[in-house]
Amino acid sequence: MVSSITNLTRNGLSDWMVQRVTAVVLGSYTLFMFGFFALTSDLDYQQWQGLFSAMWFKIYTLAALLALVGHIWIGMWTVATDYVKNIWVRFIVLAVIALTNFVYFVIGFSAVWGV
Ligand code: HEM
């Protein structure tokens, strides 16, 4: 049996579950942001900074960032292993995705914890 060493949890069923759980976190964060924009009139820098400096929101944003990188890795890994058949092309595609994910996370993390 050939087993993959690049999928997130090394188990297809767990990956499937993590993909759904991360989707719920991302969906709730998106809805929250829509709600915040809709309910905040004349949004200014102070209100925006107030939101991002609250500890609960830093943690929520960090959870959304972790969910984003996990979700992207599982989703794109699934697409790449289904459709990119050449092993070296797939390796490059997945390496680019891993690097992009890493950059997203580092920039997002430093932006949130720097406020
Ligand atoms: C608000 C943000 C997001 C939500 C709520 C969300 C939700 C979902 C859900 C529910 C699925 C499972 C669909 C199914 O298999 O029936 C899924 C799959 C997928 N998501 Fe997202 N997603 C979000 C953001 C993203 C982003 C930013 C990417 C960037 C690449 C992405 C890439 C994928 C891919 C590639 C799949 C397909 C995996 C497959 O074919 O098995 N998603 N997403």
Side-chain angles (χ1 to χ4, degrees), residues 16 19-20 22-30 68 71-79 82-83 104:
W16 184 90
Q19 182 80 349
R20 267 84 200 150
T22 54
V24 171
V25 175
L26 290 171
S28 81
Y29 194 82
T30 308
L68 182 70
H71 186 91
I72 290 177
W73 182 256
I74 293 174
M76 296 310 288
W77 180 90
T78 308
V79 172
D82 277 352
Y83 295 106
Y104 281 167

Side-chain angles (χ1 to χ4, degrees), residues 16-99:
W16 184 90
M17 180 55 87
V18 173
Q19 182 80 349
R20 267 84 200 150
V21 172
T22 54
V24 171
V25 175
L26 290 171
S28 81
Y29 194 82
T30 308
L31 286 177
F32 176 88
M33 287 317 256
F34 275 125
F36 180 76
F37 285 126
L39 297 175
T40 314
S41 52
D42 298 328
L43 181 61
D44 59 18
Y45 179 73
Q46 265 68 37
Q47 287 166 312
W48 190 242
Q49 203 218 15
L51 175 67
F52 277 88
S53 58
M55 184 51 76
W56 69 268
F57 195 70
K58 284 180 196 272
I59 293 168
Y60 188 23
T61 304
L62 186 58
L65 262 175
L66 285 170
L68 182 70
V69 293
H71 186 91
I72 290 177
W73 182 256
I74 293 174
M76 296 310 288
W77 180 90
T78 308
V79 172
T81 49
D82 277 352
Y83 295 106
V84 185
K85 296 300 176 194
N86 181 289
I87 195 155
W88 289 109
V89 177
R90 191 197 301 163
F91 175 80
I92 291 167
V93 168
L94 288 176
V96 169
I97 292 163
L99 189 66

